[in-house]
Amino acid sequence: MNNTTTWIKTVTLSPPSLDNNIADSERLSNNLKTILKTNFIEISINILRKISKSLRKWNYCAKCVLFKDNERWMLLEILPPDKTANTFGVAIDLGTTKIELRLSNLETGEDLHQFSFNNPQLKIGPDVLTRIHYAESEERLSELNKLLIDTLNNSIEHTCKSAGIKTENIYLVSIAGNTVMTHFLLNLNPQWIIMEPYIPTTNNPGFFRTTDLGIKANINAGIYIFPNIGSYFGGDLIAGILYSGIYNNENISMFIDVGTNAEVVLGNKDWLIGCAGAAGPALESGATKMGMNAGPGVIDKVKINPQTGKINYTTIETKKPSGICGSGLIDLVAHLFLANMVNISGKFIKEKCKSHLIEIDNIPHFILIPASESATGKKLTLSQTDLDSLIRSKAAMYAILETITKTVDLSPNDINTFYVGGTFGSFINPKSAISIGMLPDLPLESYKTIGNCSLGGASMFLKSDSIINDVNKIKDSITYLELNVNQDFMNNFSGAKFLPHTNKDLFPSVIF
Amino acid sequence: MNNTTTWIKTVTLSPPSLDNNIADSERLSNNLKTILKTNFIEISINILRKISKSLRKWNYCAKCVLFKDNERWMLLEILPPDKTANTFGVAIDLGTTKIELRLSNLETGEDLHQFSFNNPQLKIGPDVLTRIHYAESEERLSELNKLLIDTLNNSIEHTCKSAGIKTENIYLVSIAGNTVMTHFLLNLNPQWIIMEPYIPTTNNPGFFRTTDLGIKANINAGIYIFPNIGSYFGGDLIAGILYSGIYNNENISMFIDVGTNAEVVLGNKDWLIGCAGAAGPALESGATKMGMNAGPGVIDKVKINPQTGKINYTTIETKKPSGICGSGLIDLVAHLFLANMVNISGKFIKEKCKSHLIEIDNIPHFILIPASESATGKKLTLSQTDLDSLIRSKAAMYAILETITKTVDLSPNDINTFYVGGTFGSFINPKSAISIGMLPDLPLESYKTIGNCSLGGASMFLKSDSIINDVNKIKDSITYLELNVNQDFMNNFSGAKFLPHTNKDLFPSVIF
């Protein structure tokens, strides 16, 4: 008998005899109960229907695929106890904009394939609000659900094909998404999430069968959906906290995930406080006219020589520039500010910007790339409107950090470690983010970028039978700080709407 | 909030607010957890998909259909909290020969309809052995399963129609059957049940969804299948013990259920010993050429005047006699013995039987009804072969009783109360059964007939949310006594093959 910490356990049973004539399914489940230290294991009709023949064929040895959701253990599948039966799992980060998927071997923990694709619901609306309004009828809700399920199934097929395995070998699927996306996935109407008092249908979706959701995998596979704390604090964030590990730390640390929302969690092994706010629109693509997601030709780094005003930049794959991504934008604004071309109120200074500044429809635009240099043949500009939007976003971000730290009598500068999650977060230059007052003025080594941590958490779930306990610990220990009705937050937000901040003492490293 | 002991609980929840913004399903399940004193309640996707809308429509009150199987509580359905939503359950006794079904109201406990019908598998084979051999291939196993499920569905429809309700209002189905019939119901191959070491696929089938089995009821209904102790000690017997109540008694009492097998359980609130043996074939229809199940025209009582040899009998509905049922047969043999027409070895005494005795193919036959009196126009006879068969059966029955009581240092005559179950058991005249030495020589008031107790137990399950605990108590406290390899049983059997017994002291009330 091997007692791995994975969901796969191989057992060897005593064969039955006249003196030991317990039934086949109880023979197996009693053995598993001992291994798993539980007093109940659910066995489905599908397994019952093959257990007697299979156990005899395999001489009463079997590889078991198990699953635990809250209090109940389930036996999902029985397989021959040899190398011929491979078991795989798929972790999914179900984002509003992007969906990312990772295929792993459940026994070895090896990652086999990963890829991301656009959320197919984008064609209905770019944000969840539009989609919720669209889903006013059962039919339209089902349409949104079907879009999602079909695309997930195609992507599961694609990832299996890429790794040379069959979808029938997928036995576990773990999915982390925000509360609204989770509702769409389950075909639950999310309309009450956006109506006061903002009530989801479920906080703990938990376990489902493939047939419950229509997900393509082995017919006996289990699907786990991460819990949420509320309408604005989703399973993606729980998965992110899991991946960051802050819930296990002795010291107080902070985890931030910047996407459409800025999601911030502060805490240690004893307590966690989290909040989420709409801080992100200007930071991801879409807020600036030239903004776009990272890809070939996209400007990801910008430097401006404060003496000469000369602009240096790099693009992804060093292609001709076609746009700018969030991290490039933060670089740009930081250097515009440090070169004194933007003032502390976030307005372009005409005499410093010189010929870079033009007016289009009476709105100042800063020319980053002239038409002659650009891949599109058109100049790439940053408008005053775009800049205002970015500053509101960074102000929201910092105000959130200030508000949440203040609840435990600290300030953002007291935090030792900042885990920065999200694809966007991975590319942020902390120095630039500090320069515009988006992140606190900490030593650069305090910032640890951890990538798509929602996917990371979902993937962790596949690889250990005890991670569910960590998820439940996180879920149970977190306090949600409501920002919408928080006066502190509004005050902090006002102070943060300047570059870097009205209180310059908070940013000693930024040269004025 | 009403805290009934039924599976139906009506709850009133606090409506959500900004300060109390837990999700809808957790709002409901937390309330139920408190009522049910459990830390987990499973809620299916079907319920999740309607819970938010329904709770709002019903002002956060709901009638909940619950279910508990071992450790897990399940919320099967939510309904409006008023009289418009009626919930019903069906209890089924799944016999090898007969199936009996009872429809009850889950809230009031009221029984609405009951009827029985032949097991449709009879057309494949009269006994489980024939059927198991028939089911050698997956296709034939499925054929047997389908026969059963189709007939059950028709009968559920019929019973619903008779009671004026819809099958969609059936939320619980509880089924008690022997181990082989339970396997056929679940489409599990019972082939290993009849091969040493006689291993069923499952001892604890427990909970299923209608879709698991294809049973016609509400889509969210739950199906409970009674556990078995082994291949020869089925869920029907567990249900029977439940119904008899012997597991709750202070005093030691005995429960016997005579059908195809003689099933005997001895015990009290602290312990139970059970055994089952093939004692019944001659007692039910089929073993004698004129034997048949109870029905119009069937002889159910027989008396013979020991002085004159005149035979008196009654038939069901006082129709012309067409056959004899088991209870009539026991009467007949008892009176033949008491009239000295059959000797203690169970052989007809020619000079006493006189003209009643004829030979057909060299085998003595006793003419009970001459052709002129019979409904069939043919004489009804009891052959020496039939008589031998009956005596073997009664001997097996008594030997079982002797063997099982001996294991606790008692004899059958020490038992205070005998619960006699089974349709057949209901009609037995204990005096006659004692006269032939089938039942111990106890005061007649010691015998309590309790009818179809398998159906009774299944029906009890529908009406109380705590009966599952009793079922588990019975299952866990019972010791199975294996008779096939028991030397005591063989000795007892030899002594019991006489009328009433080789040891006449055991039957003082029988006049010799």
Short mmCIF file of all heavy atoms in Angstrom, two decimals, chain B residues 91-141:
data_model
loop_
_atom_site.label_atom_id
_atom_site.label_comp_id
_atom_site.label_asym_id
_atom_site.label_seq_id
_atom_site.Cartn_x
_atom_site.Cartn_y
_atom_site.Cartn_z
N ALA B 91 -42.57 3.02 -0.66
CA ALA B 91 -41.78 1.94 -0.06
C ALA B 91 -42.00 0.69 -0.89
O ALA B 91 -43.13 0.45 -1.35
CB ALA B 91 -42.23 1.70 1.38
N ILE B 92 -40.93 -0.03 -1.12
CA ILE B 92 -41.04 -1.22 -1.97
C ILE B 92 -40.39 -2.42 -1.29
O ILE B 92 -39.25 -2.34 -0.82
CB ILE B 92 -40.35 -0.98 -3.34
CG1 ILE B 92 -41.02 0.18 -4.09
CG2 ILE B 92 -40.37 -2.25 -4.20
CD1 ILE B 92 -40.32 0.61 -5.37
N ASP B 93 -41.16 -3.50 -1.22
CA ASP B 93 -40.59 -4.79 -0.80
C ASP B 93 -40.31 -5.56 -2.07
O ASP B 93 -41.22 -5.95 -2.79
CB ASP B 93 -41.59 -5.55 0.08
CG ASP B 93 -41.17 -7.01 0.24
OD1 ASP B 93 -39.97 -7.26 0.45
OD2 ASP B 93 -42.04 -7.90 0.14
N LEU B 94 -39.04 -5.75 -2.35
CA LEU B 94 -38.62 -6.35 -3.62
C LEU B 94 -38.38 -7.84 -3.42
O LEU B 94 -37.26 -8.27 -3.14
CB LEU B 94 -37.32 -5.65 -4.05
CG LEU B 94 -36.85 -5.82 -5.48
CD1 LEU B 94 -37.86 -5.22 -6.46
CD2 LEU B 94 -35.50 -5.15 -5.66
N GLY B 95 -39.45 -8.61 -3.54
CA GLY B 95 -39.33 -10.05 -3.33
C GLY B 95 -38.96 -10.78 -4.60
O GLY B 95 -39.15 -10.27 -5.71
N THR B 96 -38.45 -11.99 -4.43
CA THR B 96 -38.09 -12.81 -5.58
C THR B 96 -39.34 -13.16 -6.40
O THR B 96 -39.30 -13.20 -7.62
CB THR B 96 -37.41 -14.10 -5.09
OG1 THR B 96 -36.28 -13.74 -4.29
CG2 THR B 96 -36.96 -14.97 -6.24
N THR B 97 -40.45 -13.38 -5.68
CA THR B 97 -41.68 -13.79 -6.34
C THR B 97 -42.66 -12.63 -6.45
O THR B 97 -43.18 -12.33 -7.52
CB THR B 97 -42.34 -14.94 -5.54
OG1 THR B 97 -41.35 -15.95 -5.32
CG2 THR B 97 -43.52 -15.51 -6.28
N LYS B 98 -42.86 -11.97 -5.33
CA LYS B 98 -43.83 -10.88 -5.28
C LYS B 98 -43.11 -9.57 -4.97
O LYS B 98 -42.15 -9.55 -4.19
CB LYS B 98 -44.83 -11.12 -4.13
CG LYS B 98 -45.87 -12.17 -4.43
CD LYS B 98 -47.09 -11.55 -5.07
CE LYS B 98 -48.09 -12.64 -5.47
NZ LYS B 98 -49.11 -12.13 -6.37
N ILE B 99 -43.63 -8.52 -5.54
CA ILE B 99 -43.16 -7.18 -5.19
C ILE B 99 -44.36 -6.45 -4.61
O ILE B 99 -45.46 -6.54 -5.15
CB ILE B 99 -42.60 -6.45 -6.43
CG1 ILE B 99 -41.40 -7.22 -6.98
CG2 ILE B 99 -42.22 -5.02 -6.09
CD1 ILE B 99 -40.84 -6.67 -8.27
N GLU B 100 -44.13 -5.77 -3.51
CA GLU B 100 -45.24 -5.04 -2.90
C GLU B 100 -44.82 -3.59 -2.71
O GLU B 100 -43.66 -3.31 -2.41
CB GLU B 100 -45.65 -5.68 -1.57
CG GLU B 100 -47.01 -5.20 -1.09
CD GLU B 100 -47.73 -6.21 -0.19
OE1 GLU B 100 -47.06 -7.13 0.30
OE2 GLU B 100 -48.95 -6.07 0.02
N LEU B 101 -45.75 -2.70 -2.88
CA LEU B 101 -45.45 -1.28 -2.94
C LEU B 101 -46.47 -0.50 -2.13
O LEU B 101 -47.66 -0.84 -2.15
CB LEU B 101 -45.51 -0.92 -4.43
CG LEU B 101 -45.17 0.43 -4.96
CD1 LEU B 101 -44.65 0.26 -6.39
CD2 LEU B 101 -46.38 1.30 -4.97
N ARG B 102 -46.00 0.49 -1.41
CA ARG B 102 -46.92 1.31 -0.61
C ARG B 102 -46.57 2.80 -0.79
O ARG B 102 -45.41 3.18 -0.68
CB ARG B 102 -46.81 0.94 0.86
CG ARG B 102 -47.82 1.68 1.76
CD ARG B 102 -47.59 1.37 3.23
NE ARG B 102 -47.83 -0.03 3.53
CZ ARG B 102 -47.36 -0.66 4.62
NH1 ARG B 102 -46.63 0.00 5.50
NH2 ARG B 102 -47.60 -1.92 4.81
N LEU B 103 -47.60 3.56 -1.06
CA LEU B 103 -47.44 5.01 -1.25
C LEU B 103 -47.86 5.74 0.01
O LEU B 103 -48.93 5.47 0.55
CB LEU B 103 -48.32 5.46 -2.42
CG LEU B 103 -48.37 6.95 -2.74
CD1 LEU B 103 -47.06 7.40 -3.39
CD2 LEU B 103 -49.54 7.27 -3.66
N SER B 104 -47.02 6.66 0.49
CA SER B 104 -47.35 7.40 1.72
C SER B 104 -47.06 8.88 1.55
O SER B 104 -46.23 9.28 0.74
CB SER B 104 -46.51 6.88 2.89
OG SER B 104 -46.60 5.49 3.00
N ASN B 105 -47.74 9.66 2.35
CA ASN B 105 -47.49 11.09 2.41
C ASN B 105 -46.30 11.31 3.36
O ASN B 105 -46.34 10.86 4.51
CB ASN B 105 -48.74 11.81 2.92
CG ASN B 105 -48.58 13.31 2.94
OD1 ASN B 105 -47.61 13.83 3.49
ND2 ASN B 105 -49.53 14.02 2.34
N LEU B 106 -45.27 11.98 2.88
CA LEU B 106 -44.05 12.11 3.68
C LEU B 106 -44.22 13.05 4.87
O LEU B 106 -43.51 12.95 5.86
CB LEU B 106 -42.88 12.60 2.82
CG LEU B 106 -42.35 11.64 1.75
CD1 LEU B 106 -41.28 12.32 0.91
CD2 LEU B 106 -41.78 10.38 2.39
N GLU B 107 -45.16 13.97 4.75
CA GLU B 107 -45.35 14.93 5.85
C GLU B 107 -46.28 14.39 6.93
O GLU B 107 -46.02 14.54 8.12
CB GLU B 107 -45.91 16.24 5.31
CG GLU B 107 -44.84 17.25 4.95
CD GLU B 107 -45.44 18.58 4.57
OE1 GLU B 107 -46.08 18.66 3.50
OE2 GLU B 107 -45.26 19.54 5.32
N THR B 108 -47.39 13.79 6.48
CA THR B 108 -48.38 13.33 7.46
C THR B 108 -48.17 11.88 7.86
O THR B 108 -48.70 11.43 8.87
CB THR B 108 -49.80 13.44 6.87
OG1 THR B 108 -49.89 12.54 5.76
CG2 THR B 108 -50.09 14.86 6.39
N GLY B 109 -47.41 11.14 7.06
CA GLY B 109 -47.21 9.72 7.33
C GLY B 109 -48.37 8.85 6.87
O GLY B 109 -48.33 7.63 7.00
N GLU B 110 -49.38 9.49 6.32
CA GLU B 110 -50.58 8.75 5.89
C GLU B 110 -50.26 7.81 4.72
O GLU B 110 -49.59 8.20 3.77
CB GLU B 110 -51.64 9.77 5.46
CG GLU B 110 -52.99 9.17 5.12
CD GLU B 110 -53.88 10.20 4.38
OE1 GLU B 110 -53.44 11.35 4.16
OE2 GLU B 110 -55.01 9.82 4.03
N ASP B 111 -50.77 6.56 4.82
CA ASP B 111 -50.62 5.61 3.71
C ASP B 111 -51.77 5.80 2.74
O ASP B 111 -52.93 5.85 3.15
CB ASP B 111 -50.62 4.17 4.23
CG ASP B 111 -49.42 3.91 5.12
OD1 ASP B 111 -48.36 4.52 4.86
OD2 ASP B 111 -49.54 3.12 6.07
N LEU B 112 -51.46 5.90 1.46
CA LEU B 112 -52.48 6.24 0.48
C LEU B 112 -52.88 5.08 -0.41
O LEU B 112 -54.01 5.00 -0.87
CB LEU B 112 -51.96 7.38 -0.40
CG LEU B 112 -51.70 8.67 0.35
CD1 LEU B 112 -50.80 9.58 -0.46
CD2 LEU B 112 -53.02 9.37 0.66
N HIS B 113 -51.94 4.21 -0.68
CA HIS B 113 -52.25 3.13 -1.62
C HIS B 113 -51.21 2.04 -1.46
O HIS B 113 -50.06 2.32 -1.12
CB HIS B 113 -52.22 3.67 -3.06
CG HIS B 113 -52.77 2.69 -4.06
ND1 HIS B 113 -51.97 2.02 -4.95
CD2 HIS B 113 -54.03 2.27 -4.28
CE1 HIS B 113 -52.74 1.22 -5.69
NE2 HIS B 113 -53.98 1.36 -5.32
N GLN B 114 -51.64 0.82 -1.69
CA GLN B 114 -50.72 -0.30 -1.58
C GLN B 114 -51.16 -1.39 -2.53
O GLN B 114 -52.36 -1.65 -2.67
CB GLN B 114 -50.72 -0.83 -0.13
CG GLN B 114 -49.83 -2.04 0.08
CD GLN B 114 -49.64 -2.37 1.55
OE1 GLN B 114 -49.79 -1.49 2.41
NE2 GLN B 114 -49.31 -3.61 1.86
N PHE B 115 -50.23 -1.99 -3.23
CA PHE B 115 -50.60 -3.16 -4.01
C PHE B 115 -49.38 -4.01 -4.31
O PHE B 115 -48.24 -3.56 -4.18
CB PHE B 115 -51.38 -2.79 -5.27
CG PHE B 115 -50.54 -2.33 -6.42
CD1 PHE B 115 -50.50 -3.07 -7.61
CD2 PHE B 115 -49.80 -1.17 -6.35
CE1 PHE B 115 -49.75 -2.64 -8.68
CE2 PHE B 115 -49.06 -0.72 -7.42
CZ PHE B 115 -49.03 -1.46 -8.59
N SER B 116 -49.65 -5.25 -4.67
CA SER B 116 -48.53 -6.14 -4.95
C SER B 116 -48.70 -6.76 -6.33
O SER B 116 -49.80 -6.76 -6.89
CB SER B 116 -48.46 -7.22 -3.88
OG SER B 116 -49.51 -8.14 -4.05
N PHE B 117 -47.61 -7.21 -6.87
CA PHE B 117 -47.64 -7.77 -8.22
C PHE B 117 -46.48 -8.75 -8.33
O PHE B 117 -45.57 -8.75 -7.50
CB PHE B 117 -47.53 -6.65 -9.27
CG PHE B 117 -46.46 -5.65 -8.97
CD1 PHE B 117 -45.19 -5.76 -9.53
CD2 PHE B 117 -46.71 -4.59 -8.09
CE1 PHE B 117 -44.21 -4.83 -9.24
CE2 PHE B 117 -45.71 -3.67 -7.80
CZ PHE B 117 -44.47 -3.79 -8.37
N ASN B 118 -46.55 -9.57 -9.36
CA ASN B 118 -45.49 -10.57 -9.53
C ASN B 118 -44.19 -9.91 -9.96
O ASN B 118 -44.19 -8.95 -10.72
CB ASN B 118 -45.89 -11.59 -10.59
CG ASN B 118 -46.84 -12.63 -10.03
OD1 ASN B 118 -46.85 -12.87 -8.81
ND2 ASN B 118 -47.65 -13.23 -10.88
N ASN B 119 -43.09 -10.46 -9.48
CA ASN B 119 -41.79 -10.02 -9.95
C ASN B 119 -41.68 -10.39 -11.44
O ASN B 119 -41.86 -11.56 -11.79
CB ASN B 119 -40.69 -10.73 -9.15
CG ASN B 119 -39.31 -10.20 -9.49
OD1 ASN B 119 -39.02 -9.91 -10.64
ND2 ASN B 119 -38.47 -10.07 -8.47
N PRO B 120 -41.44 -9.41 -12.29
CA PRO B 120 -41.46 -9.70 -13.73
C PRO B 120 -40.33 -10.66 -14.15
O PRO B 120 -40.38 -11.24 -15.22
CB PRO B 120 -41.26 -8.32 -14.37
CG PRO B 120 -40.54 -7.53 -13.32
CD PRO B 120 -41.08 -8.02 -12.01
N GLN B 121 -39.34 -10.83 -13.28
CA GLN B 121 -38.24 -11.75 -13.59
C GLN B 121 -38.69 -13.21 -13.48
O GLN B 121 -37.94 -14.11 -13.86
CB GLN B 121 -37.06 -11.49 -12.66
CG GLN B 121 -36.43 -10.11 -12.86
CD GLN B 121 -35.25 -9.88 -11.94
OE1 GLN B 121 -35.08 -10.59 -10.96
NE2 GLN B 121 -34.43 -8.90 -12.28
N LEU B 122 -39.90 -13.44 -12.97
CA LEU B 122 -40.41 -14.81 -12.89
C LEU B 122 -40.40 -15.47 -14.26
O LEU B 122 -40.21 -16.67 -14.39
CB LEU B 122 -41.84 -14.81 -12.33
CG LEU B 122 -41.97 -14.64 -10.80
CD1 LEU B 122 -43.42 -14.44 -10.42
CD2 LEU B 122 -41.38 -15.85 -10.07
N LYS B 123 -40.58 -14.65 -15.30
CA LYS B 123 -40.63 -15.26 -16.63
C LYS B 123 -39.25 -15.76 -17.08
O LYS B 123 -39.15 -16.58 -17.98
CB LYS B 123 -41.24 -14.30 -17.64
CG LYS B 123 -40.36 -13.19 -18.14
CD LYS B 123 -41.10 -12.38 -19.21
CE LYS B 123 -40.15 -11.54 -20.03
NZ LYS B 123 -40.85 -10.56 -20.87
N ILE B 124 -38.20 -15.25 -16.42
CA ILE B 124 -36.85 -15.75 -16.70
C ILE B 124 -36.56 -16.98 -15.84
O ILE B 124 -35.93 -17.94 -16.30
CB ILE B 124 -35.78 -14.67 -16.44
CG1 ILE B 124 -36.07 -13.39 -17.23
CG2 ILE B 124 -34.37 -15.19 -16.71
CD1 ILE B 124 -36.02 -13.55 -18.74
N GLY B 125 -37.01 -16.93 -14.60
CA GLY B 125 -36.79 -18.07 -13.73
C GLY B 125 -37.51 -17.86 -12.42
O GLY B 125 -37.61 -16.73 -11.94
N PRO B 126 -38.00 -18.94 -11.81
CA PRO B 126 -38.79 -18.80 -10.58
C PRO B 126 -37.92 -18.45 -9.38
O PRO B 126 -38.38 -17.83 -8.44
CB PRO B 126 -39.42 -20.18 -10.39
CG PRO B 126 -38.48 -21.11 -11.10
CD PRO B 126 -37.90 -20.35 -12.24
N ASP B 127 -36.64 -18.83 -9.43
CA ASP B 127 -35.79 -18.57 -8.28
C ASP B 127 -34.57 -17.75 -8.70
O ASP B 127 -34.27 -17.63 -9.89
CB ASP B 127 -35.34 -19.90 -7.65
CG ASP B 127 -34.73 -20.82 -8.69
OD1 ASP B 127 -33.62 -20.49 -9.17
OD2 ASP B 127 -35.37 -21.82 -9.06
N VAL B 128 -33.89 -17.19 -7.71
CA VAL B 128 -32.77 -16.31 -8.04
C VAL B 128 -31.62 -17.07 -8.70
O VAL B 128 -30.92 -16.52 -9.54
CB VAL B 128 -32.26 -15.55 -6.78
CG1 VAL B 128 -33.30 -14.55 -6.32
CG2 VAL B 128 -31.83 -16.47 -5.68
N LEU B 129 -31.47 -18.33 -8.37
CA LEU B 129 -30.38 -19.11 -8.93
C LEU B 129 -30.50 -19.18 -10.46
O LEU B 129 -29.54 -18.94 -11.19
CB LEU B 129 -30.42 -20.52 -8.33
CG LEU B 129 -29.08 -21.22 -8.24
CD1 LEU B 129 -28.15 -20.51 -7.27
CD2 LEU B 129 -29.28 -22.68 -7.78
N THR B 130 -31.69 -19.50 -10.93
CA THR B 130 -31.93 -19.57 -12.38
C THR B 130 -31.62 -18.22 -13.02
O THR B 130 -31.01 -18.14 -14.08
CB THR B 130 -33.42 -19.91 -12.65
OG1 THR B 130 -33.83 -20.93 -11.76
CG2 THR B 130 -33.61 -20.34 -14.09
N ARG B 131 -32.04 -17.17 -12.34
CA ARG B 131 -31.85 -15.83 -12.91
C ARG B 131 -30.37 -15.45 -12.94
O ARG B 131 -29.90 -14.82 -13.87
CB ARG B 131 -32.65 -14.80 -12.10
CG ARG B 131 -34.15 -15.06 -12.15
CD ARG B 131 -34.92 -14.04 -11.32
NE ARG B 131 -36.20 -14.61 -10.91
CZ ARG B 131 -37.01 -14.06 -10.01
NH1 ARG B 131 -36.68 -12.90 -9.44
NH2 ARG B 131 -38.15 -14.63 -9.69
N ILE B 132 -29.65 -15.82 -11.89
CA ILE B 132 -28.22 -15.50 -11.85
C ILE B 132 -27.50 -16.23 -13.00
O ILE B 132 -26.67 -15.65 -13.69
CB ILE B 132 -27.60 -15.89 -10.49
CG1 ILE B 132 -28.15 -14.98 -9.39
CG2 ILE B 132 -26.07 -15.77 -10.54
CD1 ILE B 132 -27.74 -15.38 -7.97
N HIS B 133 -27.87 -17.48 -13.22
CA HIS B 133 -27.26 -18.22 -14.32
C HIS B 133 -27.63 -17.59 -15.66
O HIS B 133 -26.82 -17.51 -16.57
CB HIS B 133 -27.66 -19.70 -14.27
CG HIS B 133 -26.98 -20.44 -13.16
ND1 HIS B 133 -25.60 -20.43 -13.00
CD2 HIS B 133 -27.46 -21.18 -12.14
CE1 HIS B 133 -25.29 -21.15 -11.94
NE2 HIS B 133 -26.39 -21.61 -11.38
N TYR B 134 -28.88 -17.14 -15.74
CA TYR B 134 -29.32 -16.49 -16.99
C TYR B 134 -28.51 -15.22 -17.27
O TYR B 134 -28.17 -14.93 -18.41
CB TYR B 134 -30.81 -16.14 -16.87
CG TYR B 134 -31.38 -15.51 -18.12
CD1 TYR B 134 -31.82 -16.30 -19.18
CD2 TYR B 134 -31.48 -14.13 -18.24
CE1 TYR B 134 -32.34 -15.73 -20.33
CE2 TYR B 134 -32.00 -13.55 -19.39
CZ TYR B 134 -32.44 -14.36 -20.43
OH TYR B 134 -32.95 -13.79 -21.56
N ALA B 135 -28.19 -14.50 -16.20
CA ALA B 135 -27.54 -13.19 -16.34
C ALA B 135 -26.04 -13.30 -16.54
O ALA B 135 -25.28 -12.49 -16.04
CB ALA B 135 -27.85 -12.34 -15.11
N GLU B 136 -25.63 -14.30 -17.32
CA GLU B 136 -24.18 -14.50 -17.47
C GLU B 136 -23.51 -13.41 -18.29
O GLU B 136 -22.35 -13.10 -18.10
CB GLU B 136 -23.90 -15.89 -18.07
CG GLU B 136 -24.59 -16.09 -19.41
CD GLU B 136 -24.35 -17.49 -19.97
OE1 GLU B 136 -23.76 -18.34 -19.26
OE2 GLU B 136 -24.74 -17.71 -21.12
N SER B 137 -24.24 -12.81 -19.21
CA SER B 137 -23.67 -11.73 -20.02
C SER B 137 -24.20 -10.39 -19.54
O SER B 137 -25.26 -10.32 -18.90
CB SER B 137 -24.03 -11.93 -21.49
OG SER B 137 -25.41 -11.72 -21.68
N GLU B 138 -23.46 -9.33 -19.88
CA GLU B 138 -23.89 -7.97 -19.54
C GLU B 138 -25.29 -7.68 -20.09
O GLU B 138 -26.11 -7.05 -19.44
CB GLU B 138 -22.91 -6.94 -20.14
CG GLU B 138 -21.51 -6.96 -19.57
CD GLU B 138 -21.43 -6.40 -18.16
OE1 GLU B 138 -22.08 -5.37 -17.90
OE2 GLU B 138 -20.73 -7.00 -17.32
N GLU B 139 -25.53 -8.17 -21.32
CA GLU B 139 -26.80 -7.89 -21.98
C GLU B 139 -27.95 -8.53 -21.22
O GLU B 139 -29.00 -7.92 -21.01
CB GLU B 139 -26.79 -8.44 -23.42
CG GLU B 139 -25.85 -7.70 -24.37
CD GLU B 139 -24.39 -7.95 -24.07
OE1 GLU B 139 -24.04 -9.07 -23.58
OE2 GLU B 139 -23.57 -7.04 -24.28
N ARG B 140 -27.74 -9.77 -20.81
CA ARG B 140 -28.81 -10.47 -20.11
C ARG B 140 -29.00 -9.92 -18.70
O ARG B 140 -30.12 -9.87 -18.20
CB ARG B 140 -28.49 -11.96 -20.04
CG ARG B 140 -28.74 -12.65 -21.38
CD ARG B 140 -28.37 -14.10 -21.26
NE ARG B 140 -29.05 -14.91 -22.25
CZ ARG B 140 -29.17 -16.22 -22.15
NH1 ARG B 140 -28.67 -16.87 -21.10
NH2 ARG B 140 -29.77 -16.90 -23.08
N LEU B 141 -27.91 -9.48 -18.08
CA LEU B 141 -28.03 -8.83 -16.78
C LEU B 141 -28.88 -7.57 -16.93
O LEU B 141 -29.81 -7.32 -16.16
CB LEU B 141 -26.64 -8.49 -16.23
CG LEU B 141 -26.62 -7.68 -14.94
CD1 LEU B 141 -27.24 -8.47 -13.79
CD2 LEU B 141 -25.18 -7.28 -14.58
#
